[in-house]
Amino acid sequence: MDETQAAPMGKGREGSIARAEDVVRTARDWLIGTRHADGYLTFELEADATIPAEYILLNHYLGEPDDEIEVKLAVYLRNVREEKHGGWPLYHDGDFNISASVKAYYALKLVGDDPDAPHMRSARDAILAHGGAAKANVFTRIALALFGQVPWRAVPVMRVEALLMPRWAPFHMDKVSYWSRTVMVPLLVLAVLKPTARNPRQVDIRELFVHPADDEQNYLVNPTGHWIGTLCLGIDKVARVLEPLFPRAFEERGIQRALDFMMPRLNSHDGLGAIFPAMANTVMAFDALGYPRDHPDYVTARQSIDKLLSIKNDGGYCQPCLSPVWDTALGGHALMEAGLDIEDEVVRDAADWLEERQILNVVGDWAVNRPGLRPGGWAFQYNNDYYPDVDDTAVVAMFLHRADPVRYAEAISRAEEWVVGMQSKNGGWGAFDIDNEYFLLQHIPFADHGALLDPQTADVSARCISMLAQLGHGVEHPAVRRGLEYLRREQEPDGSWFGRWGNNYVYGTWSVLCAFNAVGEDMASPHIRTAVEWLKSRQCADGGWGEDCASYWQHRRDEVKNSTPSQTSWAVLALLSAGEAESDEVRRGIRYLLEAPRDAGHWDEKYFNAVGFPRVFYLRYHGYSAYFPLWTLARYVNMSRSNANQPRYGM
């Protein structure tokens, strides 16, 4: 049933509260109805055209086109193309992106789309107008090199022998983020073996180059414009000349080191790193190394990718990864805010499912910088034991504590121990690693995507402080004190906080205000009031909030296209944390959520609401527009009925 919220609100604040109670009941029942038989919640996680395009490219690299699947992925690719510029964006209603457009065009041509069809012609014109396929990023050019569409000199020299370097070397795998590590290790195998895609239909994209690919001389660019980047380009030229002289024995040792890294991290059918790019590179590396199709490791790696498909009757796409732990924890918070507790099977089953997935016995890559710390975190996905997520761990621990601090005492204690141990020197927390600030590496030609590292961020740090506060720790706790100092330093001049993992300053400011409230900060303090006034100033005429993904470019940080349920929820939750329950801005935000179109408990939201890598890779969590509005409306009702001035919990 599609509810357009045409019903009258009723008179005054009481009418608003009564209407919110009705919607909370409907939305809560809908969310309960989505849970898996095992008790967890999971929603689709959508990225841009790149992931389904790469799935098609992978099939044709292997020589195994799957027309039944690919024709549905092609429907999706055609649907997400933007008519206003002819190509593919990084997010809904976004600007043209050359790399996404080149991959999507090639994928459609592999599936069989006529290059002279209007949508293909329009995309081709846009790609050529932006300099052609030669201007795509390094990852795209690597894919094109595998298909013989560009020479291998179009990509930086990448040697698998890099895995043999000591930790004190300028470059080492321990110095990059988890996602970079898991993507790069199998990619280095491909880079030295330089296999050629089978490409059974012999499809090329010569028409996407302004100059013939073999004639192009300017593939590599300085990613930062810094002199160090220029130096790195010079080193790359020297390495290219010397590459044929590299001893074969060291290459073989490097390949073995890559396999030694990959094998324990295959995660059964959840794949290396449990993220699509790493999983796809693993399959191609196994293929390049001559693994037969029935080899157990090859079968496992290939099946992990197929689990990411979301296929419907009229189309479908490939997800970048799966988000059951994140969805279950956040959805659990919303359901408890909406009146459920541990006596309800829904909450108990969700909490038990999460408890079972705590990583207690695997010492992950994070231990390189914190040897001796006992594991105790949760991963984002079903299984990813080497890479627990600090943010997930804090959110899960708060949910378990809220559900039953006695029943889950051991799990909460281990989570607290691990999160405290993951704090970086500057008082903040990164998502997966400690002190991952080797910014020198951002200048290497391979890093033109700008997402090589996992430094500390305000949103993750705020969640950790919120967790510690909910567990009873105040400003006297060293980790809390240092974390608060970090957050104060990170505040933007306009009063907001940068949001690394959700769009953007609204998300960051919500996260931080929750933390300050949880530790008992005086919400009348100047830095809090500046943040509150910033939030109020960003409210749209319709009562909602809607920061665009383009805000990650500094010159576009104030850009707004449309209000969205997710961002409105974050803003209202932030204002409620700051003692603004009676404000006109909260009232208007609640009205927006009550009147916004929804299907029972799922609000309509086409705009992307999260970030993989700012300015590079964006996400739409389909669950955000379900549990965040429910959470917000329920909290508004609870605080209104109890005359509470601020929430009781960390989030």
Side-chain angles (χ1 to χ4, degrees):
M1 178 181 65
D2 181 40
E3 300 187 15
T4 59
Q5 275 57 60
M9 288 276 291
K11 291 185 178 181
R13 184 164 178 266
E14 181 58 35
S16 175
I17 296 170
R19 178 64 176 135
E21 287 176 324
D22 289 341
V23 175
V24 165
R25 282 191 290 269
T26 299
R28 181 187 63 194
D29 291 345
W30 181 90
L31 184 58
I32 290 171
T34 67
R35 68 187 184 121
H36 190 273
D38 290 343
Y40 65 87
L41 296 168
T42 188
F43 292 88
E44 292 180 18
L45 180 57
E46 181 180 358
D48 59 60
T50 302
I51 301 299
E54 288 179 353
Y55 182 92
I56 293 171
L57 288 165
L58 173 64
N59 284 350
H60 289 255
Y61 168 89
L62 298 170
E64 299 173 346
D66 186 334
D67 292 333
E68 183 178 356
I69 295 295
E70 292 172 23
V71 70
K72 295 188 175 184
L73 299 180
V75 170
Y76 175 84
L77 290 175
R78 296 185 203 106
N79 287 341
V80 298
R81 189 180 66 88
E82 291 284 353
E83 287 289 349
K84 64 182 179 182
H85 51 62
W88 283 266
L90 295 176
Y91 47 84
H92 175 71
D93 198 23
D95 298 337
F96 172 87
N97 181 266
I98 186 80
S99 300
S101 296
V102 168
K103 284 185 176 177
Y105 180 97
Y106 199 179
L108 287 176
K109 194 173 179 184
L110 286 167
V111 172
D113 281 21
D114 185 346
D116 291 324
H119 67 285
M120 296 289 279
R121 190 165 58 247
S122 178
R124 182 168 63 250
D125 290 346
I127 291 168
L128 293 172
H130 285 81
K135 300 300 181 183
N137 64 20
V138 167
F139 283 116
T140 303
R141 297 200 306 273
I142 291 171
L144 296 183
L146 290 169
F147 275 80
Q149 302 304 297
V150 298
W152 276 97
R153 63 179 174 79
V155 302
V157 173
M158 297 182 294
R159 298 295 306 180
V160 75
E161 294 92 330
L163 300 179
L164 305 175
M165 298 176 74
R167 288 201 74 232
W168 51 259
F171 177 85
H172 191 276
M173 281 297 167
D174 289 344
K175 295 181 178 179
V176 300
S177 64
Y178 125 69
W179 55 85
S180 298
R181 201 175 307 137
T182 53
V183 168
M184 289 172 67
V185 169
L187 191 59
L188 290 174
V189 175
L190 293 170
V192 296
L193 297 180
K194 295 180 173 57
T196 300
R198 289 164 180 79
N199 193 6
R201 296 169 184 167
Q202 296 301 301
V203 176
D204 65 67
I205 50 168
R206 287 175 290 181
E207 67 272 20
L208 294 188
F209 291 86
V210 174
H211 308 290
D214 288 333
D215 296 341
E216 178 64 51
Q217 299 299 315
N218 298 309
Y219 283 110
L220 303 187
V221 298
N222 182 341
T224 61
H226 195 277
W227 68 265
I228 297 176
T230 302
L231 175 63
C232 289
L233 288 175
I235 294 172
D236 184 86
K237 289 181 180 179
V238 174
R240 198 173 302 279
V241 173
L242 297 177
E243 192 171 16
L245 305 177
F246 289 0
R248 175 69 177 171
F250 284 102
E251 179 180 306
E252 292 174 351
R253 284 180 57 194
I255 291 174
Q256 185 58 53
R257 182 69 61 84
L259 292 172
D260 291 343
F261 173 88
M262 292 159 59
M263 291 310 181
R265 294 167 176 80
L266 286 180
N267 282 322
S268 184
H269 295 305
D270 291 286
L272 178 63
I275 51 175
F276 175 87
M279 294 151 66
N281 287 345
T282 298
V283 171
M284 289 189 288
F286 284 166
D287 176 77
L289 289 168
Y291 281 49
R293 291 293 192 264
D294 60 354
H295 189 287
D297 292 330
Y298 180 93
V299 171
T300 296
R302 176 69 224 208
Q303 289 179 348
S304 70
I305 294 174
D306 291 334
K307 286 178 61 177
L308 299 176
L309 290 171
S310 174
I311 302 297
K312 303 177 178 63
N313 291 332
D314 56 348
Y317 57 91
C318 184
Q319 301 174 88
C321 63
L322 303 174
S323 56
V325 170
W326 188 241
D327 286 332
T328 301
L330 290 172
H333 278 283
L335 289 171
M336 294 198 73
E337 193 74 40
L340 301 187
D341 59 29
I342 194 64
E343 299 302 320
D344 292 287
E345 179 185 6
V346 175
V347 171
R348 188 169 59 255
D349 287 353
D352 288 348
W353 184 86
L354 287 169
E355 183 188 31
E356 292 171 1
R357 269 143 194 84
Q358 189 173 24
I359 302 164
L360 299 173
N361 300 312
V362 176
V363 177
D365 289 4
W366 49 267
V368 168
N369 288 324
R370 195 66 85 239
L373 176 64
R374 291 197 302 173
W378 278 268
F380 178 82
Q381 305 91 347
Y382 288 99
N383 295 290
N384 197 11
D385 284 358
Y386 278 84
Y387 304 108
D389 177 349
V390 174
D391 208 1
D392 276 83
T393 301
V395 173
V396 172
M398 282 188 280
F399 170 59
L400 295 182
H401 180 265
R402 185 172 180 177
D404 192 328
V406 176
R407 181 186 178 104
Y408 303 109
E410 178 61 24
I412 295 166
S413 175
R414 288 291 295 271
E416 177 187 342
E417 177 184 341
W418 187 73
V419 168
V420 170
M422 292 293 288
Q423 190 172 28
S424 292
K425 294 175 183 176
N426 67 359
W429 281 265
F432 299 92
D433 283 296
I434 305 161
D435 297 318
N436 192 241
E437 295 185 302
Y438 302 96
F439 294 114
L440 178 70
L441 298 178
Q442 299 284 46
H443 301 291
I444 64 176
F446 176 81
D448 67 347
H449 60 303
L452 204 64
L453 306 177
D454 178 21
Q456 304 79 45
T457 63
D459 46 343
V460 176
S461 301
R463 215 94 62 222
C464 295
I465 294 169
S466 291
M467 181 203 77
L468 292 171
Q470 185 173 313
L471 299 185
H473 300 296
V475 294
E476 74 286 347
H477 191 287
V480 173
R481 175 181 50 77
R482 294 173 56 226
L484 292 173
E485 291 170 356
Y486 168 81
L487 292 181
R488 292 188 181 98
R489 292 195 305 270
E490 289 295 302
Q491 189 170 20
E492 300 285 328
D494 62 9
S496 64
W497 279 271
F498 176 81
R500 165 62 178 84
W501 297 98
N503 287 6
N504 172 349
Y505 297 100
V506 172
Y507 182 87
T509 304
W510 158 62
S511 303
V512 174
L513 288 182
C514 285
F516 278 125
N517 170 65
V519 297
E521 185 93 348
D522 180 1
M523 301 310 275
S525 300
H527 65 291
I528 302 295
R529 301 323 301 171
T530 303
V532 168
E533 292 309 312
W534 177 84
L535 266 177
K536 290 181 176 181
S537 73
R538 304 303 298 160
Q539 190 170 28
C540 299
D542 62 4
W545 280 261
E547 187 177 353
D548 194 68
C549 294
S551 66
Y552 286 95
W553 284 271
Q554 278 299 300
H555 66 289
R556 302 176 66 180
R557 59 174 292 156
D558 294 329
E559 194 163 312
V560 174
K561 288 192 177 79
N562 285 89
S563 296
T564 68
S566 294
Q567 294 208 36
T568 302
S569 298
W570 299 332
V572 173
L573 286 170
L575 292 174
L576 292 174
S577 291
E580 293 287 324
E582 300 288 340
S583 68
D584 182 61
E585 288 80 8
V586 165
R587 181 187 61 79
R588 292 172 57 218
I590 294 297
R591 180 180 289 271
Y592 169 85
L593 291 175
L594 293 177
E595 295 180 348
R598 60 184 168 84
D599 181 4
H602 201 198
W603 276 254
D604 293 351
E605 185 165 280
K606 294 182 180 179
Y607 285 86
F608 280 36
N609 48 32
V611 188
F613 316 122
R615 302 184 299 278
V616 177
F617 188 67
Y618 293 84
L619 300 165
R620 178 160 77 103
Y621 287 85
H622 288 215
Y624 277 15
S625 58
Y627 42 74
F628 277 120
L630 169 61
W631 193 341
T632 305
L633 293 173
R635 176 158 292 176
Y636 173 73
V637 169
N638 294 338
M639 291 178 64
S640 298
R641 291 299 188 202
S642 64
N643 292 317
N645 193 43
Q646 287 161 274
R648 298 169 48 204
Y649 300 100
M651 290 183 71

